[in-house]
Amino acid sequence: MTREVWVIVTAAGSGSRLGAEVPKALVPLGGHPALTRVLINLSQVEDVTGVIVTHPESQRELFAQAVPAQLPYAIHLVPGGVSRQASVYAALELLSEISPQSLVLVHDAARALTPPSVFERVIEGLVEGAVALVPALPVKDTIKQIRPDAAIEDFPLVLGSPNRDALRAAQTPQGFDFERLWAVHQKARDLSADEAKAAPDDAALMEAFDYPVRIVAGDELALKITTMVDLKLAEILAEEQPINTPQLPFGQRGDLRE
Ligand code: CTP
Ligand code: MG
């Protein structure tokens, strides 16, 4: 492997739909914060050079405490922004200074149980030359299309039912080469200031600029914790994935960088 692989872990959201007492990335799953689980799973992924975690601006110390000791890769924490897109932008800005030639994966901390194999599939595809890769699963529900502005109506009108065979539910980690992802983020930066206009994921930005985005197999364990029901399911699944890595309190991690 000649190029470095960096992983951006987006964890700067508030988790408003979950409504937990702690930020969503810190909810305990089987005794360990979601973010800790992500970082430990990443330590089992071959070839990861470094990880950049986006955190809510005022909560750096709390998030630093969720970083386990003795990770086999470099780790940086950066304050996120008002939208996921803005948070990824902040992490990419740091990466532009430290490893602008790298391959980059962007992963939601909210997908805390994503197995190492999904990361490895994405990295392998990038090394083989893919421009943009999205892990995804077939859609289980039949999807009904309505007008976006009709969502607030009592009985919004159904416009159609897209063929399920032609739909995929996107997950993370999504993989790119740094240079292209950074370029599209810079071009679309205006959108990131408003959560309603911001891109739903990084692949969507690449699509908007006509880059070929391809699918790789996702995993049911990469489910996104969005609501309380998701959390309950993740808690049950996490019990089956025990981990016992020591956590050092903030301040004892000499290698934790800005
Ligand atoms: N995220 C981020 N910065 C933001 C918003 C979201 O880094 N300004 C991250 C979240 O921490 C999460 C991922 O992006 O890991 C996916 O976002 P989502 O599931 O929507 O999480 P939240 O925005 O925290 O939840 P909600 O939308 O319910 O408030
Ligand atoms: Mg959100």
Side-chain angles (χ1 to χ4, degrees):
M1 162 100 38
T2 50
R3 296 176 74 183
E4 292 190 349
V5 175
W6 283 77
V7 182
I8 293 170
V9 176
T10 62
S14 58
S16 56
R17 287 169 290 179
L18 184 64
E21 275 167 16
V22 293
K24 188 161 84 173
L26 300 182
V27 291
L29 294 174
H32 297 271
L35 175 62
T36 307
R37 283 192 170 268
V38 172
L39 296 176
I40 287 172
N41 281 343
L42 274 171
S43 70
Q44 286 155 37
V45 178
E46 266 183 58
D47 300 321
V48 173
T49 312
V51 172
I52 301 175
V53 178
T54 71
H55 62 85
E57 183 139 25
S58 63
Q59 289 173 314
R60 180 183 160 93
E61 277 202 29
L62 207 55
F63 275 64
Q65 285 167 19
V67 176
Q70 289 158 5
L71 292 170
Y73 46 75
I75 180 132
H76 300 257
L77 299 186
V78 296
V82 295
S83 65
R84 182 186 182 282
Q85 186 185 329
S87 295
V88 175
Y89 185 97
L92 289 172
E93 195 165 39
L94 174 63
L95 200 49
S96 73
E97 290 160 18
I98 54 181
S99 187
Q101 309 292 319
S102 57
L103 300 173
V104 56
L105 272 56
V106 186
H107 182 58
D108 294 333
R111 299 182 187 274
L113 303 180
T114 304
S117 56
V118 182
F119 291 88
E120 283 164 357
R121 272 202 288 282
V122 174
I123 294 169
E124 200 182 312
L126 292 174
V127 170
E128 282 173 17
V131 168
L133 282 175
V134 178
L137 291 178
V139 172
K140 287 184 276 190
D141 295 316
T142 298
I143 306 292
K144 300 293 177 192
Q145 189 166 10
I146 59 170
R147 282 200 336 269
D149 58 352
I152 46 167
E153 291 171 15
D154 280 344
F155 302 106
L157 184 67
V158 172
L159 301 178
S161 307
N163 179 352
R164 225 167 31 199
D165 292 342
L167 295 174
R168 291 292 178 272
Q171 301 182 322
T172 69
Q174 300 182 353
F176 313 91
D177 97 352
F178 170 80
E179 220 171 313
R180 292 193 190 102
L181 186 65
W182 181 220
V184 299
H185 264 271
Q186 286 176 295
K187 286 183 193 151
R189 193 176 184 191
D190 286 359
L191 304 175
S192 72
D194 180 351
E195 174 93 294
K197 291 192 191 135
D201 64 10
D202 300 279
L205 281 181
M206 294 290 283
E207 292 154 29
F209 288 95
D210 286 334
Y211 282 111
V213 175
R214 293 184 178 278
I215 301 282
V216 289
D219 192 304
E220 286 204 278
L221 288 174
L223 74 134
K224 182 152 76 80
I225 300 168
T226 305
T227 64
M228 217 20 113
V229 171
D230 301 327
L231 178 58
K232 297 244 181 268
L233 176 57
E235 278 168 346
I236 293 168
L237 294 168
E239 295 294 344
E240 292 169 13
Q241 298 179 20
I243 49 178
N244 48 20
T245 300
Q247 266 176 258
L248 285 183
F250 180 64
Q252 294 191 23
R253 281 221 38 152
D255 57 338
L256 196 61
R257 276 160 258 161
E258 198 60 54

